[in-house]
Amino acid sequence: MNFLKLIIRAPRPNRVIDMPASVNRFFCRKGYAAITLFGHIFTGEQHDADRMNKGYTFTKNHEMIHLKQAQNTRNSWFLFYILYLWHSLLALRYFRKTKNAAYYLNPFEMEAYMHTRDLHYIENCGDKGACQWRTFARMSLAERLQLVKEHHIVR
């Protein structure tokens, strides 16, 4: 799929009900199970994409939480990705303390990882969507690091 077409044709997050999964090894790098881009889930392996398309897995739940977060950021994919990048850049200074700190200390990832195994989390969020990331964003990086370690999110 052409990435430019993907961006141009992307529906607003609130118009996405279910995200299809497909294989794209360029977007889904080694070490990551999946990535959400503009209403699509990309995986590195075909069997993972098939599993997500057939049923609701923990990985799909994680990516659907990102969809709800995008809906919560003024229903804009661009604002979601700008904020995601901003929080990742802020967390870079902790890279010596934690491997992949920019990823694991990102408030969006913290919320998604903490609720990955709760398959009813999205339903329980209600109309306001997944907004716990805002609480994590107000925390200091040291507090986030402690919370991430307590919940065994860091691999």
Side-chain angles (χ1 to χ4, degrees), residues 12 27 37 40 53 61 71 82 96 107 114 119 123 138:
R12 294 185 68 78
F27 292 130
L37 291 173
H40 295 276
N53 288 328
N61 188 51
Q71 292 170 355
I82 287 169
R96 285 196 176 123
M114 286 185 182
L119 298 179
E123 297 167 14
R138 286 190 292 271

Side-chain angles (χ1 to χ4, degrees), residues 105-136:
L105 297 181
N106 187 310
F108 294 107
E109 291 300 336
M110 289 177 66
E111 178 180 19
Y113 272 107
M114 286 185 182
H115 300 289
T116 294
R117 296 191 177 275
D118 180 2
L119 298 179
H120 300 288
Y121 178 69
I122 293 173
E123 297 167 14
N124 297 336
C125 287
D127 293 337
K128 63 183 178 191
C131 59
Q132 189 179 19
W133 67 270
R134 292 177 189 272
T135 304
F136 298 136

